[in-house]
């Protein structure tokens, strides 16, 4: 019996968000709205999203002993996430500087802070969390050697979901463990280019190119065009859910968390992606990241 449906290993940031009429070009200054501070970070976002949906969730992350760290811990606990794996201290809490334009699209710069101090030793010390989880989800806002240690720490039969964001070339041992590798177009381009592969025209070909690098399955998110899933049984399109976007910040994290949870519950990849698409769609209808994530009841109503 697993104690957790999902263990998320990753980053925890304070999101400093301002709305702008347009994002600045090189050397340009633009005025924004009043600054809003929200709990964020890809790892923390995924944990909150899963917890709100009803998944039994734990987070392995590192925050600073500061006000932003306390904000993040409170957000996790209010979503029902087990924070026994959240380490405090060693550096200030990570910060993400986010601009959001009128279409809801965003640009993000991350100062890693404590996230850069989440080490392979921290992963090895958290063996009991890995042993208790059905699925482990990880991203790349923590050091790559820590991500590789997560792969080595996986118990037999535990599934790994990886969103390589921000994108970077991945070691073969990490790619081989992904089931699935979850990417958007930009991330797909970086990984294929890093492996010396060409970037084909069609998303179906992106997915096939990524599969050839070793992951067991691949999910490509396509924004308003939905998503595409690929694995041993072939390739399938998953339609989007049409909504009026307000802010896309953290929507990909909500999608990935929902996907990971439903895979751990026994759903096939396409069914899990259809559910995740609903979660991601609801997330973009509200401002902010964690504060925008829906409950399981809201997804059911959609």
């Amino acid at each position: 019996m697993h104690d957790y449906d999902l263990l998320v290993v990753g980053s925890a940031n304070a999101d400093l968000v301002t709305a702008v009429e347009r994002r600045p070009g090189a050397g340009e200054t633009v005025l924004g709205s009043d600054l809003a501070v929200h709990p964020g970070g890809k790892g923390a976002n995924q944990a909150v999203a899963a917890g709100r949906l009803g998944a039994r969730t734990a987070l392995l992350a590192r925050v600073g002993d500061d006000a932003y760290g306390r904000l993040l811990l409170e957000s996790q606990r209010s979503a029902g996430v087990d924070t026994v794996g959240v380490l405090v201290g060693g550096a200030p809490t990570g910060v993400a500087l986010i601009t959001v334009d009128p279409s809801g699209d965003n640009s993000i710069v991350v100062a890693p802070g404590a996230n850069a101090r989440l080490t392979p030793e921290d992963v090895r010390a958290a063996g009991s969390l890995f042993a208790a989880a059905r699925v482990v989800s990880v991203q790349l806002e923590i050091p790559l050697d820590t991500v590789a240690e997560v792969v080595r720490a996986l118990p037999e039969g535990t599934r790994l979901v990886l969103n390589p964001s921000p994108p970077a070339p991945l070691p073969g041992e990490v790619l081989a463990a992904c089931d699935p590798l979850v990417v958007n177009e930009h991330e797909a381009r970086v990984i294929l280019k890093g492996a010396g592969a060409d970037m084909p025209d069609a998303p179906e070909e992106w997915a096939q190119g990524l599969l050839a690098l070793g992951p067991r399955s691949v999910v490509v998110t396509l924004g308003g065009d939905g998503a595409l899933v690929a694995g041993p049984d072939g390739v399938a399109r998953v339609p989007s859910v049409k909504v009026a976007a307000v802010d896309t910040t953290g929507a990909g994290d909500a999608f990935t968390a929902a996907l990971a949870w439903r895979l751990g519950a026994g759903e096939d990849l396409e069914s899990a992606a259809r559910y995740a698409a609903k979660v991601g769609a609801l997330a973009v209808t509200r401002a902010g990241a964690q504060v925008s994530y829906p409950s399981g009841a809201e997804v059911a109503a959609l």
Side-chain angles (χ1 to χ4, degrees), residues 44-73:
N45 286 351
Q46 286 190 13
V48 166
R52 289 222 177 127
L53 292 170
R56 297 170 302 163
T57 307
L59 175 65
L60 174 58
R62 187 176 283 277
V63 299
D65 185 10
D66 50 34
Y68 289 154
R70 290 186 286 277
L71 171 72
L72 284 155
L73 283 167

Side-chain angles (χ1 to χ4, degrees), residues 199-269:
M199 185 69 176
D201 293 331
E204 287 80 2
E205 294 174 304
W206 309 346
Q208 294 291 0
L210 291 166
L211 279 175
L213 300 180
R216 302 174 193 180
S217 59
V218 169
V219 175
V220 181
T221 58
L222 302 169
D225 292 327
L228 182 148
V229 302
D233 298 328
V235 179
R237 286 271 189 162
V238 173
S240 64
V241 179
K242 301 304 180 185
V243 294
V246 172
D247 182 1
T248 60
T249 305
D253 302 326
F255 176 97
T256 303
L259 178 81
W261 173 45
R262 298 317 301 159
L263 289 171
E267 291 186 5
D268 63 76
L269 189 59

